[in-house]
């Protein structure tokens, strides 16, 4: 009797597992259909044969659905903003779930990347998509992602279009300076500066010529951090001055202040650049927190 009881229990557990497997899977015809939708999106093929004509699509909202026709128009309108865009195929995850109410849903967690046509800025962000199936068709799809970086990028493009000629000259100089920094191109950097260029750091003069800018700054940082990189986070142009917020990163694999720690650094700062009428920079006043930099390198203990 005991053996029969145990055998019955095993059968019940097996049946429960079988039932669970039918409720959740990562391999199904529905998942293959979603993968085809993603593939078609990447190739800009909007025939959408697997989507029902009566389907409803919700992107970053839950009250204003798009019809199938509106969805196609939405994608085509957005495509105009990018020189290229699509899901990268980097670590995608798919699952199919059957709810207690018998509804079949496919969830997808994907990585999406695009290059803005007007600026060349690359945007990379995670996207969650979920699809409900009925009678072999997608009848509902929901997409959620953070559009902030895209919106800000498009706003920057529009702001640049509205710039005066002088503002465009200043912005062009700043972009060239950042590019020269990242390439450690001191020759190009010198052409972007007046002969009497002055650079201060937290109020202290550290360079009084393009040559000193190269030897006292660029040489120092690229010797200590061979992978040194400057990123322009934000900027504002007022008159002939550009106020920029920047981030610097690098790894201390070289010698910096007599040490090589192999530690990464990331520091933020603000610079005020003065640009002359010929587009060359005559002054940079930089402000940043040296304490944070030294703490990241382990030169001093963290403050409590």
């Amino acid at each position: 009797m005991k053996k029969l009881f145990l055998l019955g229990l095993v059968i019940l557990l097996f049946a429960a597992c079988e039932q669970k497997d039918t409720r959740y899977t990562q391999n199904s015809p529905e998942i293959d259909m979603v993968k085809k939708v993603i593939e078609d999106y990447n190739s800009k093929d909007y025939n959408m044969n697997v989507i029902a004509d009566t389907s409803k699509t919700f992107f970053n909202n839950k009250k204003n659905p798009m019809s199938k026709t509106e969805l196609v128009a939405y994608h085509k309108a957005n495509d105009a903003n990018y020189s290229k865009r699509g899901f990268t195929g980097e670590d995608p995850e798919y699952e199919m779930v059957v709810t207690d109410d018998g509804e079949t849903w496919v969830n997808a967690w994907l990585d999406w990347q695009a290059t803005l046509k007007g600026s060349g800025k690359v945007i990379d962000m995670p996207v969650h998509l979920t699809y409900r199936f009925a009678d072999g068709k997608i009848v509902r799809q929901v997409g959620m992602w953070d559009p902030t970086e895209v919106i800000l990028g498009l706003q920057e493009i529009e702001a640049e279009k509205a710039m005066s000629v002088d503002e465009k000259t200043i912005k062009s100089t700043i972009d060239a300076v950042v590019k020269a920094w990242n390439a450690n191109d001191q020759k190009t950097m010198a052409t972007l500066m007046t002969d009497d260029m002055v650079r201060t750091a937290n109020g202290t003069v550290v360079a009084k010529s393009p040559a000193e800018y190269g030897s006292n700054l660029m040489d120092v940082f690229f010797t200590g951090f061979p992978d040194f990189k400057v990123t322009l986070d934000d900027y504002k142009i007022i008159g002939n001055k550009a106020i920029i917020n920047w981030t610097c990163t690098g790894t201390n694999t070289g010698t910096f202040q007599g040490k090589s720690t192999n530690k990464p650094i990331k520091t933020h700062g603000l610079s005020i650049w003065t640009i002359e009428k010929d587009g060359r920079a005559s002054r940079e006043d930089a402000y940043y927190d040296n304490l944070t930099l030294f703490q990241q390198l382990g030169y001093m203990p963290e403050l409590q």
Side-chain angles (χ1 to χ4, degrees), residues 50-81:
V50 300
I51 298 179
D53 291 337
T54 57
S55 68
K56 294 182 178 181
T57 297
F58 299 82
F59 284 163
N60 285 327
N61 79 87
K62 60 181 181 179
K63 294 182 178 180
N64 301 304
M66 289 184 285
S67 67
K68 183 177 179 178
T69 301
E70 289 171 333
L71 177 62
V72 174
Y74 168 86
H75 283 312
K76 289 183 177 180
N78 276 288
D79 286 344
N81 295 320

mmCIF file of all heavy atoms in Angstrom, residues 50-81:
data_model
loop_
_atom_site.group_PDB
_atom_site.id
_atom_site.type_symbol
_atom_site.label_atom_id
_atom_site.label_comp_id
_atom_site.label_asym_id
_atom_site.label_seq_id
_atom_site.Cartn_x
_atom_site.Cartn_y
_atom_site.Cartn_z
ATOM 1 N N VAL A 50 2.115 38.653 -39.375
ATOM 2 C CA VAL A 50 1.766 37.889 -38.167
ATOM 3 C C VAL A 50 0.965 38.721 -37.177
ATOM 4 O O VAL A 50 0.557 38.218 -36.135
ATOM 5 C CB VAL A 50 3.037 37.336 -37.479
ATOM 6 C CG1 VAL A 50 3.798 36.423 -38.415
ATOM 7 C CG2 VAL A 50 3.925 38.465 -36.983
ATOM 8 N N ILE A 51 0.748 39.999 -37.495
ATOM 9 C CA ILE A 51 -0.014 40.877 -36.602
ATOM 10 C C ILE A 51 -1.445 40.997 -37.111
ATOM 11 O O ILE A 51 -1.680 41.286 -38.284
ATOM 12 C CB ILE A 51 0.640 42.263 -36.505
ATOM 13 C CG1 ILE A 51 2.053 42.130 -35.913
ATOM 14 C CG2 ILE A 51 -0.198 43.213 -35.665
ATOM 15 C CD1 ILE A 51 2.799 43.430 -35.804
ATOM 16 N N ALA A 52 -2.386 40.759 -36.219
ATOM 17 C CA ALA A 52 -3.798 40.826 -36.596
ATOM 18 C C ALA A 52 -4.182 42.242 -37.011
ATOM 19 O O ALA A 52 -3.650 43.227 -36.476
ATOM 20 C CB ALA A 52 -4.667 40.353 -35.432
ATOM 21 N N ASP A 53 -5.108 42.346 -37.959
ATOM 22 C CA ASP A 53 -5.548 43.664 -38.429
ATOM 23 C C ASP A 53 -6.199 44.472 -37.312
ATOM 24 O O ASP A 53 -6.215 45.702 -37.351
ATOM 25 C CB ASP A 53 -6.529 43.500 -39.592
ATOM 26 C CG ASP A 53 -5.844 42.964 -40.846
ATOM 27 O OD1 ASP A 53 -4.610 43.129 -40.959
ATOM 28 O OD2 ASP A 53 -6.545 42.373 -41.689
ATOM 29 N N THR A 54 -6.750 43.774 -36.319
ATOM 30 C CA THR A 54 -7.427 44.455 -35.203
ATOM 31 C C THR A 54 -6.516 44.623 -33.989
ATOM 32 O O THR A 54 -6.991 44.954 -32.900
ATOM 33 C CB THR A 54 -8.674 43.659 -34.792
ATOM 34 O OG1 THR A 54 -8.283 42.316 -34.451
ATOM 35 C CG2 THR A 54 -9.695 43.624 -35.916
ATOM 36 N N SER A 55 -5.226 44.381 -34.166
ATOM 37 C CA SER A 55 -4.292 44.432 -33.030
ATOM 38 C C SER A 55 -4.199 45.830 -32.444
ATOM 39 O O SER A 55 -4.477 46.827 -33.113
ATOM 40 C CB SER A 55 -2.899 43.977 -33.475
ATOM 41 O OG SER A 55 -2.347 44.932 -34.367
ATOM 42 N N LYS A 56 -3.779 45.878 -31.186
ATOM 43 C CA LYS A 56 -3.554 47.145 -30.498
ATOM 44 C C LYS A 56 -2.122 47.149 -29.954
ATOM 45 O O LYS A 56 -1.680 46.173 -29.351
ATOM 46 C CB LYS A 56 -4.553 47.337 -29.356
ATOM 47 C CG LYS A 56 -5.993 47.501 -29.830
ATOM 48 C CD LYS A 56 -6.935 47.742 -28.654
ATOM 49 C CE LYS A 56 -8.370 47.952 -29.130
ATOM 50 N NZ LYS A 56 -9.296 48.206 -28.000
ATOM 51 N N THR A 57 -1.440 48.267 -30.165
ATOM 52 C CA THR A 57 -0.053 48.390 -29.723
ATOM 53 C C THR A 57 0.074 49.553 -28.756
ATOM 54 O O THR A 57 -0.376 50.664 -29.040
ATOM 55 C CB THR A 57 0.883 48.619 -30.928
ATOM 56 O OG1 THR A 57 0.833 47.484 -31.781
ATOM 57 C CG2 THR A 57 2.318 48.839 -30.460
ATOM 58 N N PHE A 58 0.719 49.284 -27.623
ATOM 59 C CA PHE A 58 0.951 50.302 -26.599
ATOM 60 C C PHE A 58 2.461 50.448 -26.409
ATOM 61 O O PHE A 58 3.128 49.513 -25.968
ATOM 62 C CB PHE A 58 0.309 49.892 -25.273
ATOM 63 C CG PHE A 58 -1.184 49.718 -25.320
ATOM 64 C CD1 PHE A 58 -1.749 48.539 -25.794
ATOM 65 C CD2 PHE A 58 -2.026 50.722 -24.877
ATOM 66 C CE1 PHE A 58 -3.127 48.368 -25.832
ATOM 67 C CE2 PHE A 58 -3.412 50.565 -24.914
ATOM 68 C CZ PHE A 58 -3.955 49.384 -25.393
ATOM 69 N N PHE A 59 3.010 51.599 -26.738
ATOM 70 C CA PHE A 59 4.425 51.874 -26.524
ATOM 71 C C PHE A 59 4.559 52.955 -25.454
ATOM 72 O O PHE A 59 4.139 54.098 -25.640
ATOM 73 C CB PHE A 59 5.102 52.340 -27.809
ATOM 74 C CG PHE A 59 5.386 51.222 -28.787
ATOM 75 C CD1 PHE A 59 5.659 51.505 -30.119
ATOM 76 C CD2 PHE A 59 5.386 49.905 -28.381
ATOM 77 C CE1 PHE A 59 5.928 50.492 -31.019
ATOM 78 C CE2 PHE A 59 5.650 48.869 -29.269
ATOM 79 C CZ PHE A 59 5.922 49.162 -30.597
ATOM 80 N N ASN A 60 5.118 52.582 -24.324
ATOM 81 C CA ASN A 60 5.355 53.504 -23.208
ATOM 82 C C ASN A 60 4.080 54.196 -22.733
ATOM 83 O O ASN A 60 4.115 55.334 -22.253
ATOM 84 C CB ASN A 60 6.400 54.564 -23.587
ATOM 85 C CG ASN A 60 7.802 54.000 -23.603
ATOM 86 O OD1 ASN A 60 8.130 53.109 -22.823
ATOM 87 N ND2 ASN A 60 8.633 54.489 -24.499
ATOM 88 N N ASN A 61 2.944 53.536 -22.878
ATOM 89 C CA ASN A 61 1.696 54.042 -22.313
ATOM 90 C C ASN A 61 0.708 52.885 -22.225
ATOM 91 O O ASN A 61 0.942 51.812 -22.777
ATOM 92 C CB ASN A 61 1.128 55.184 -23.153
ATOM 93 C CG ASN A 61 0.407 54.705 -24.385
ATOM 94 O OD1 ASN A 61 -0.795 54.395 -24.338
ATOM 95 N ND2 ASN A 61 1.127 54.618 -25.504
ATOM 96 N N LYS A 62 -0.396 53.098 -21.538
ATOM 97 C CA LYS A 62 -1.383 52.035 -21.388
ATOM 98 C C LYS A 62 -2.802 52.485 -21.775
ATOM 99 O O LYS A 62 -3.753 51.726 -21.617
ATOM 100 C CB LYS A 62 -1.405 51.523 -19.949
ATOM 101 C CG LYS A 62 -1.761 52.577 -18.900
ATOM 102 C CD LYS A 62 -1.726 51.971 -17.505
ATOM 103 C CE LYS A 62 -2.114 53.000 -16.443
ATOM 104 N NZ LYS A 62 -2.107 52.427 -15.076
ATOM 105 N N LYS A 63 -2.933 53.708 -22.286
ATOM 106 C CA LYS A 63 -4.266 54.247 -22.579
ATOM 107 C C LYS A 63 -4.469 54.623 -24.045
ATOM 108 O O LYS A 63 -5.611 54.808 -24.476
ATOM 109 C CB LYS A 63 -4.537 55.468 -21.703
ATOM 110 C CG LYS A 63 -4.642 55.164 -20.217
ATOM 111 C CD LYS A 63 -4.968 56.425 -19.421
ATOM 112 C CE LYS A 63 -5.112 56.109 -17.939
ATOM 113 N NZ LYS A 63 -5.438 57.324 -17.143
ATOM 114 N N ASN A 64 -3.399 54.779 -24.801
ATOM 115 C CA ASN A 64 -3.528 55.259 -26.174
ATOM 116 C C ASN A 64 -2.916 54.256 -27.158
ATOM 117 O O ASN A 64 -1.761 54.422 -27.585
ATOM 118 C CB ASN A 64 -2.848 56.622 -26.324
ATOM 119 C CG ASN A 64 -3.443 57.660 -25.398
ATOM 120 O OD1 ASN A 64 -4.640 57.908 -25.416
ATOM 121 N ND2 ASN A 64 -2.600 58.264 -24.570
ATOM 122 N N PRO A 65 -3.676 53.253 -27.552
ATOM 123 C CA PRO A 65 -3.130 52.223 -28.440
ATOM 124 C C PRO A 65 -3.016 52.698 -29.882
ATOM 125 O O PRO A 65 -3.738 53.603 -30.329
ATOM 126 C CB PRO A 65 -4.160 51.097 -28.317
ATOM 127 C CG PRO A 65 -5.444 51.799 -28.027
ATOM 128 C CD PRO A 65 -5.068 52.963 -27.151
ATOM 129 N N MET A 66 -2.117 52.073 -30.619
ATOM 130 C CA MET A 66 -1.984 52.306 -32.055
ATOM 131 C C MET A 66 -2.586 51.124 -32.796
ATOM 132 O O MET A 66 -2.440 49.971 -32.373
ATOM 133 C CB MET A 66 -0.516 52.459 -32.448
ATOM 134 C CG MET A 66 0.136 53.743 -31.997
ATOM 135 S SD MET A 66 1.857 53.901 -32.600
ATOM 136 C CE MET A 66 2.696 52.738 -31.520
ATOM 137 N N SER A 67 -3.206 51.420 -33.922
ATOM 138 C CA SER A 67 -3.698 50.356 -34.794
ATOM 139 C C SER A 67 -2.526 49.805 -35.597
ATOM 140 O O SER A 67 -1.415 50.351 -35.564
ATOM 141 C CB SER A 67 -4.770 50.897 -35.727
ATOM 142 O OG SER A 67 -4.196 51.829 -36.635
ATOM 143 N N LYS A 68 -2.772 48.764 -36.341
ATOM 144 C CA LYS A 68 -1.711 48.183 -37.171
ATOM 145 C C LYS A 68 -1.200 49.205 -38.177
ATOM 146 O O LYS A 68 0.010 49.354 -38.376
ATOM 147 C CB LYS A 68 -2.243 46.941 -37.881
ATOM 148 C CG LYS A 68 -1.209 46.205 -38.730
ATOM 149 C CD LYS A 68 -1.810 44.943 -39.324
ATOM 150 C CE LYS A 68 -0.813 44.199 -40.203
ATOM 151 N NZ LYS A 68 -1.387 42.937 -40.755
ATOM 152 N N THR A 69 -2.102 49.932 -38.808
ATOM 153 C CA THR A 69 -1.708 50.955 -39.780
ATOM 154 C C THR A 69 -0.914 52.077 -39.114
ATOM 155 O O THR A 69 0.100 52.542 -39.646
ATOM 156 C CB THR A 69 -2.952 51.552 -40.462
ATOM 157 O OG1 THR A 69 -3.674 50.516 -41.118
ATOM 158 C CG2 THR A 69 -2.552 52.610 -41.483
ATOM 159 N N GLU A 70 -1.358 52.492 -37.945
ATOM 160 C CA GLU A 70 -0.649 53.554 -37.215
ATOM 161 C C GLU A 70 0.725 53.083 -36.756
ATOM 162 O O GLU A 70 1.667 53.884 -36.690
ATOM 163 C CB GLU A 70 -1.483 53.983 -36.012
ATOM 164 C CG GLU A 70 -2.741 54.759 -36.387
ATOM 165 C CD GLU A 70 -3.668 54.993 -35.217
ATOM 166 O OE1 GLU A 70 -3.650 54.178 -34.251
ATOM 167 O OE2 GLU A 70 -4.431 55.985 -35.253
ATOM 168 N N LEU A 71 0.849 51.792 -36.448
ATOM 169 C CA LEU A 71 2.142 51.244 -36.031
ATOM 170 C C LEU A 71 3.161 51.335 -37.162
ATOM 171 O O LEU A 71 4.320 51.714 -36.939
ATOM 172 C CB LEU A 71 1.973 49.794 -35.583
ATOM 173 C CG LEU A 71 3.252 49.053 -35.171
ATOM 174 C CD1 LEU A 71 3.907 49.729 -33.974
ATOM 175 C CD2 LEU A 71 2.936 47.590 -34.859
ATOM 176 N N VAL A 72 2.742 50.996 -38.368
ATOM 177 C CA VAL A 72 3.645 51.095 -39.524
ATOM 178 C C VAL A 72 4.082 52.545 -39.724
ATOM 179 O O VAL A 72 5.265 52.833 -39.924
ATOM 180 C CB VAL A 72 2.946 50.571 -40.793
ATOM 181 C CG1 VAL A 72 3.827 50.824 -42.019
ATOM 182 C CG2 VAL A 72 2.644 49.082 -40.663
ATOM 183 N N ALA A 73 3.119 53.473 -39.652
ATOM 184 C CA ALA A 73 3.442 54.897 -39.812
ATOM 185 C C ALA A 73 4.387 55.378 -38.721
ATOM 186 O O ALA A 73 5.299 56.188 -38.973
ATOM 187 C CB ALA A 73 2.152 55.719 -39.803
ATOM 188 N N TYR A 74 4.191 54.880 -37.499
ATOM 189 C CA TYR A 74 5.042 55.247 -36.359
ATOM 190 C C TYR A 74 6.486 54.846 -36.631
ATOM 191 O O TYR A 74 7.417 55.643 -36.435
ATOM 192 C CB TYR A 74 4.509 54.556 -35.106
ATOM 193 C CG TYR A 74 5.429 54.601 -33.910
ATOM 194 C CD1 TYR A 74 5.415 55.678 -33.033
ATOM 195 C CD2 TYR A 74 6.314 53.553 -33.649
ATOM 196 C CE1 TYR A 74 6.258 55.717 -31.922
ATOM 197 C CE2 TYR A 74 7.160 53.580 -32.548
ATOM 198 C CZ TYR A 74 7.129 54.661 -31.698
ATOM 199 O OH TYR A 74 7.965 54.692 -30.608
ATOM 200 N N HIS A 75 6.692 53.627 -37.084
ATOM 201 C CA HIS A 75 8.051 53.151 -37.347
ATOM 202 C C HIS A 75 8.703 53.947 -38.471
ATOM 203 O O HIS A 75 9.873 54.346 -38.377
ATOM 204 C CB HIS A 75 8.028 51.666 -37.699
ATOM 205 C CG HIS A 75 7.859 50.762 -36.528
ATOM 206 N ND1 HIS A 75 8.600 50.894 -35.371
ATOM 207 C CD2 HIS A 75 7.037 49.691 -36.321
ATOM 208 C CE1 HIS A 75 8.247 49.963 -34.503
ATOM 209 N NE2 HIS A 75 7.292 49.231 -35.058
ATOM 210 N N LYS A 76 7.958 54.190 -39.545
ATOM 211 C CA LYS A 76 8.537 54.911 -40.682
ATOM 212 C C LYS A 76 8.893 56.340 -40.307
ATOM 213 O O LYS A 76 9.929 56.869 -40.750
ATOM 214 C CB LYS A 76 7.555 54.891 -41.852
ATOM 215 C CG LYS A 76 7.417 53.513 -42.501
ATOM 216 C CD LYS A 76 6.482 53.551 -43.700
ATOM 217 C CE LYS A 76 6.415 52.195 -44.380
ATOM 218 N NZ LYS A 76 5.504 52.202 -45.555
ATOM 219 N N ALA A 77 8.079 56.979 -39.486
ATOM 220 C CA ALA A 77 8.374 58.350 -39.044
ATOM 221 C C ALA A 77 9.630 58.380 -38.176
ATOM 222 O O ALA A 77 10.468 59.284 -38.313
ATOM 223 C CB ALA A 77 7.185 58.916 -38.276
ATOM 224 N N ASN A 78 9.784 57.407 -37.302
ATOM 225 C CA ASN A 78 10.967 57.359 -36.442
ATOM 226 C C ASN A 78 12.230 57.019 -37.216
ATOM 227 O O ASN A 78 13.314 57.487 -36.869
ATOM 228 C CB ASN A 78 10.752 56.347 -35.314
ATOM 229 C CG ASN A 78 9.992 56.930 -34.145
ATOM 230 O OD1 ASN A 78 10.514 57.738 -33.386
ATOM 231 N ND2 ASN A 78 8.736 56.564 -34.024
ATOM 232 N N ASP A 79 12.087 56.210 -38.268
ATOM 233 C CA ASP A 79 13.261 55.837 -39.063
ATOM 234 C C ASP A 79 13.954 57.052 -39.650
ATOM 235 O O ASP A 79 15.164 57.032 -39.895
ATOM 236 C CB ASP A 79 12.852 54.879 -40.187
ATOM 237 C CG ASP A 79 12.551 53.479 -39.677
ATOM 238 O OD1 ASP A 79 12.938 53.166 -38.539
ATOM 239 O OD2 ASP A 79 11.909 52.706 -40.422
ATOM 240 N N ALA A 80 13.207 58.127 -39.877
ATOM 241 C CA ALA A 80 13.781 59.335 -40.468
ATOM 242 C C ALA A 80 14.805 59.988 -39.547
ATOM 243 O O ALA A 80 15.630 60.793 -40.003
ATOM 244 C CB ALA A 80 12.669 60.330 -40.792
ATOM 245 N N ASN A 81 14.789 59.647 -38.261
ATOM 246 C CA ASN A 81 15.709 60.267 -37.300
ATOM 247 C C ASN A 81 17.060 59.574 -37.223
ATOM 248 O O ASN A 81 17.987 60.110 -36.611
ATOM 249 C CB ASN A 81 15.092 60.245 -35.897
ATOM 250 C CG ASN A 81 13.840 61.098 -35.800
ATOM 251 O OD1 ASN A 81 13.786 62.180 -36.363
ATOM 252 N ND2 ASN A 81 12.831 60.614 -35.077
#
